[in-house]
Amino acid sequence: MKRRVGIIGVGVSKFGRRDDVTVRELAWESIREALEDAGLTQKDIDLVVAGSTAYRGVELYPAPPVSEYSSLLGKTPLRVEAACATGSAAAFTAVNSVASGSAEVVLAVGFDKMTEVDTPTSLAIGGRGGNYQWEFHMYGTTFPSYYALYATRHMAVYGTTEEDMALASVKAHKYASMNEKAHLRNRVTVEDVLKSRLISWPIKLLDSSPISDGSAAVIFASEEKIRELKVDTPVWIEGIGFGSDTSSIARRGEWTSLRAAREAAASAYSLSGRTPSDVEYATVHDCFTIAEIMAYEDLGFAERGKGATLLREGQTERGGRVAVNLLGGLKAKGHPLGATGLAMLYEVTKQLREEAGPVQHQFKNYVALTHNVGGTGHYAYVTVLSR
Amino acid sequence: MKRRVGIIGVGVSKFGRRDDVTVRELAWESIREALEDAGLTQKDIDLVVAGSTAYRGVELYPAPPVSEYSSLLGKTPLRVEAACATGSAAAFTAVNSVASGSAEVVLAVGFDKMTEVDTPTSLAIGGRGGNYQWEFHMYGTTFPSYYALYATRHMAVYGTTEEDMALASVKAHKYASMNEKAHLRNRVTVEDVLKSRLISWPIKLLDSSPISDGSAAVIFASEEKIRELKVDTPVWIEGIGFGSDTSSIARRGEWTSLRAAREAAASAYSLSGRTPSDVEYATVHDCFTIAEIMAYEDLGFAERGKGATLLREGQTERGGRVAVNLLGGLKAKGHPLGATGLAMLYEVTKQLREEAGPVQHQFKNYVALTHNVGGTGHYAYVTVLSR
């Protein structure tokens, strides 16, 4: 990159069913917090990158009303979308805008009101994760059934069990119970997960992330601007790796790993000069519990097939070798598509700054990453950060 | 910008009702042409930025299938959207990705199959251009009626006439008749326009751009890469200005000009160090004929209120002071939303390289610009280019 870019402000809304707010008010919750966190006002922002799937909503063009409500009018020329990786796509776009010299201070805001989608639309839109023409129409495959295919293959090839997956849910709910902004704050046991309603075997209700409303905002600035502003603890972007893959899931060629995520990770490690063993904290895209196990492997935290071992041994708990999702993950914190990737950057920034309160992880070298997947591996972003 | 970025390849599909192709095939038409134009193959592309409104279509995530069909799998991590300015948003994103050092060679591809939208959906989605909650629901305002408000105000304040607007349509159809990829290739007279079916007074059918399918692709590269490739005639990006504005049209405060476009123009002139009188060729966003007249004024080609004079005097014809839309404009060439901004860059690149055949304009200093508006002024981009 032509110049270093750092994070100087982060904000996140309460996640959950947010009937109490419009999408504008929802976005403003995180924008306000990010501005306050950075000690900036709207006039200090050069460019706003909006991230929203906007698969369905009141406004056809959601960026302008959000921008106007937040007094950021005139600065929001685009919306980006990469399915569930939309927030990371917004971050990638924002970081490039700063590194290019097009802007000094850029706000990326991600938002979605997923609960505004009615059930038939949800089935037709939110529920599909592959190739609509060939797979959804012909076989009726939906999001959970795609991940069920990954889960059954992982079980068959590597001996991963339903109990292993349940451990990821137990961990997610435990940490979400300590996060007042999380969608689902109840604690669950392995038995609760195993007995929960079957969605698409082996995936059960408590293996699945909820349908959430929410927003997250991150303010990026150039190194020059960070010096000028005398920012106490900037969090530096060391590298953003991306990958993308076929929408015809039948062509993926393997069912135990996401190629896009592996490629994103390889690129992010290469750009940052870091290795998996350098990473002390990570957010991973646990839209289903099997996805967390695959993420450990795709990120190199565990060998292929050994992801569940990290859960069994507690290595991804607070204080473990690499702490993962200590705000509750997609599974329990919630998963408003446009917000998720930016909420991951919020989480990692708070951790690296040692502002994570009850779930603060102890760092030695202050290296962390975010792992955000779009669709069922259509898109992936891995971002390495440090302070 | 931290480094110079140039255009090294351009392609555009046939515009029109394209029942003969899927959206993947449609996108490939322009991608293939751009690759051939650049003398590159897919392996030379580092990143693909997809631009599509995808307001409705077969695929929920259109970027992966387009990428896969074009053998660009793994390189397409995001889709950008800015309503009718989507193509320019893709270009902005691509240029920043190169200037930042994230990539050396980036392909931006814009596509939309507008004719896949059925009529009720078209009314509910494609037909609205303002604030859905307040204006579409309460007053039933649609895209043409918003521009009709601009037209009537321009007529009342400046004396612009229906005949003036008709001249923009006559010009567009004249040049589209020479463009074999244009959607509407018939020539029309002022009388044809005035007698055509009333849509929303004073806007008639022949004042309106058609519903088109199409794609356009542009390949951007760093100056270093351009030297390495020994590109004959790179076209340089001198500056991209953007603007955005309220979605509540009632709050625009004026009805004879688009603030977002004026701000985008001011920024593009400032970044490039150019003035309106330097510009020898322009593409302007003539979604309705009044929009072309307002564009002349917003770009500084004419004083406020004097836009129609340029049409009456033929100053924006081939050979005029500033030639405008010599491929037929949105009005007659067609307006597939995601493609339009990139098709403008295609047009300007062909002109600056003197490859525009029968409509080649004669340059002295080889300075041109594109002007692309999203929604009814929700977004705007102005890009200054030179060779």
Side-chain angles (χ1 to χ4, degrees), chain B residues 214-244:
Chain B
S215 78
V218 175
I219 301 175
F220 300 91
S222 64
E223 183 167 17
E224 296 90 319
K225 192 73 185 183
I226 286 170
R227 287 187 204 284
E228 181 192 320
L229 293 170
K230 298 185 171 58
V231 175
D232 275 344
T233 315
V235 167
W236 300 103
I237 305 293
E238 295 200 338
I240 304 180
F242 63 80
S244 74

Side-chain angles (χ1 to χ4, degrees), chain A residues 180-301:
Chain A
E180 62 183 22
K181 288 179 172 176
H183 187 168
L184 304 173
R185 302 191 60 200
N186 59 314
R187 296 191 63 154
V188 301
T189 64
V190 168
E191 193 170 42
D192 291 333
V193 180
L194 295 177
K195 286 188 173 168
S196 65
R197 184 157 59 87
L198 189 64
I199 302 294
S200 178
W201 188 84
I203 288 175
K204 294 162 285 288
L205 184 67
L206 286 176
D207 288 299
S208 314
S209 53
I211 302 289
S212 314
D213 303 329
S215 78
V218 176
I219 301 175
F220 300 91
S222 64
E223 184 168 15
E224 296 89 319
K225 192 72 183 182
I226 285 170
R227 287 186 205 286
E228 181 192 320
L229 292 171
K230 300 183 171 60
V231 176
D232 276 343
T233 315
V235 167
W236 300 102
I237 306 292
E238 294 200 340
I240 303 181
F242 63 80
S244 74
D245 205 349
T246 168
S247 64
S248 299
I249 310 294
R251 292 194 188 164
R252 289 276 171 90
E254 62 182 325
W255 293 84
T256 54
S257 171
L258 300 179
R259 182 170 59 185
R262 289 201 315 277
E263 291 181 356
S267 172
Y269 289 134
S270 168
L271 288 165
S272 63
R274 303 288 185 174
T275 66
S277 61
D278 292 327
V279 179
E280 298 165 277
Y281 191 95
T283 62
V284 308
H285 194 90
D286 60 329
C287 50
F288 297 98
T289 50
I290 185 63
E292 177 153 348
I293 292 169
M294 290 198 298
Y296 293 170
E297 301 170 13
D298 291 343
L299 290 164
F301 297 161

Side-chain angles (χ1 to χ4, degrees), chain A residues 1-2 55 58 60-61 64 68 74-77 79 81 96 100 102 125 128 131-132 244 246 251 379 381, chain B residues 2 55 58 60-61 64 68 74-77 79 81 83 96 100 102 125 128 132 244 246 251 379 381:
Chain A
M1 289 224 281
K2 289 293 163 184
Y55 289 146
V58 174
L60 179 59
Y61 320 125
E68 177 170 15
K75 300 178 175 186
T76 314
R79 177 175 70 88
E81 182 269 322
N96 284 333
S100 69
S102 282
I125 293 182
R128 66 200 219 223
N131 181 302
Y132 182 76
S244 74
T246 168
R251 292 194 188 164
Y379 304 100
Y381 286 89
Chain B
K2 289 294 162 183
Y55 289 148
V58 173
L60 179 59
Y61 320 126
E68 177 170 15
K75 300 178 174 184
T76 314
R79 177 176 70 88
E81 180 269 325
N96 283 333
S100 69
S102 283
I125 291 183
R128 68 199 218 220
Y132 182 76
S244 74
T246 168
R251 292 195 187 163
Y379 304 100
Y381 286 88

Side-chain angles (χ1 to χ4, degrees), chain B residues 345-365:
Chain B
L345 292 174
Y346 166 96
E347 176 173 345
V348 160
T349 298
K350 290 284 189 185
Q351 283 284 348
L352 287 171
R353 288 192 201 153
E354 299 183 313
E355 296 173 357
V359 292
Q360 182 62 51
H361 182 65
Q362 296 306 308
F363 288 90
K364 285 177 191 154
N365 298 308

Side-chain angles (χ1 to χ4, degrees), chain A residues 233-377:
Chain A
T233 315
V235 167
W236 300 102
I237 306 292
E238 294 200 340
I240 303 181
F242 63 80
S244 74
D245 205 349
T246 168
S247 64
S248 299
I249 310 294
R251 292 194 188 164
R252 289 276 171 90
E254 62 182 325
W255 293 84
T256 54
S257 171
L258 300 179
R259 182 170 59 185
R262 289 201 315 277
E263 291 181 356
S267 172
Y269 289 134
S270 168
L271 288 165
S272 63
R274 303 288 185 174
T275 66
S277 61
D278 292 327
V279 179
E280 298 165 277
Y281 191 95
T283 62
V284 308
H285 194 90
D286 60 329
C287 50
F288 297 98
T289 50
I290 185 63
E292 177 153 348
I293 292 169
M294 290 198 298
Y296 293 170
E297 301 170 13
D298 291 343
L299 290 164
F301 297 161
E303 285 176 43
R304 291 288 289 271
K306 303 286 190 192
T309 308
L310 299 194
L311 283 172
R312 279 188 232 116
E313 297 178 351
Q315 292 188 39
T316 53
E317 298 277 347
R318 175 166 174 263
R321 181 160 69 81
V322 51
V324 172
N325 290 1
L326 301 192
L327 289 182
L330 282 60
K331 170 64 201 81
K333 183 182 66 179
H335 182 26
L337 308 190
T340 287
L342 292 163
M344 289 178 168
L345 293 175
Y346 166 95
E347 176 174 342
V348 160
T349 298
K350 289 286 189 182
Q351 283 283 347
L352 288 170
R353 287 192 201 154
E354 300 184 310
E355 297 173 356
V359 293
Q360 181 61 51
H361 183 64
Q362 295 307 308
F363 288 91
K364 285 176 191 157
N365 298 308
Y366 297 93
V367 177
L369 67 71
T370 64
H371 161 277
N372 186 197
V373 174
T376 44

Side-chain angles (χ1 to χ4, degrees), chain A residues 1-3 22 24 46-48 52-53 55 57-65 67-68 72-85 89-90 92-93 95-102 104 124-126 128-134 143 224 242-248 251 259 263 374-376 378-381, chain B residues 1-3 22 24 46-48 52-53 55 57-65 67-68 72-85 89-90 92-93 95-102 104 124-126 128-134 143 224 242-248 251 259 263 374-376 378-381:
Chain A
M1 289 224 281
K2 289 293 163 184
R3 58 177 178 170
T22 63
R24 303 158 199 223
D46 299 325
L47 171 70
V48 178
S52 182
T53 64
Y55 289 146
V58 174
E59 296 287 351
L60 179 59
Y61 320 125
S67 167
E68 177 170 15
L72 288 160
L73 210 57
K75 300 178 175 186
T76 314
L78 78 166
R79 177 175 70 88
V80 304
E81 182 269 322
C84 321
F92 180 63
T93 305
V95 167
N96 284 333
S97 301
V98 175
S100 69
S102 282
E104 295 300 315
I125 293 182
R128 66 200 219 223
N131 181 302
Y132 182 76
Q133 215 165 354
W134 299 111
F143 226 93
E224 296 89 319
F242 63 80
S244 74
D245 205 349
T246 168
S247 64
S248 299
R251 292 194 188 164
R259 182 170 59 185
E263 291 181 356
T376 44
H378 295 64
Y379 304 100
Y381 286 89
Chain B
M1 288 223 282
K2 289 294 162 183
R3 57 177 179 172
T22 64
R24 301 158 201 224
D46 299 323
L47 171 71
V48 179
S52 182
T53 64
Y55 289 148
V58 173
E59 297 286 352
L60 179 59
Y61 320 126
S67 168
E68 177 170 15
L72 289 161
L73 210 55
K75 300 178 174 184
T76 314
L78 78 167
R79 177 176 70 88
V80 304
E81 180 269 325
C84 321
F92 180 62
T93 305
V95 167
N96 283 333
S97 301
V98 175
S100 69
S102 283
E104 295 300 316
I125 291 183
R128 68 199 218 220
N131 182 303
Y132 182 76
Q133 216 166 351
W134 299 111
F143 226 93
E224 296 90 319
F242 63 80
S244 74
D245 205 350
T246 168
S247 63
S248 299
R251 292 195 187 163
R259 181 171 59 183
E263 291 181 355
T376 44
H378 295 64
Y379 304 100
Y381 286 88

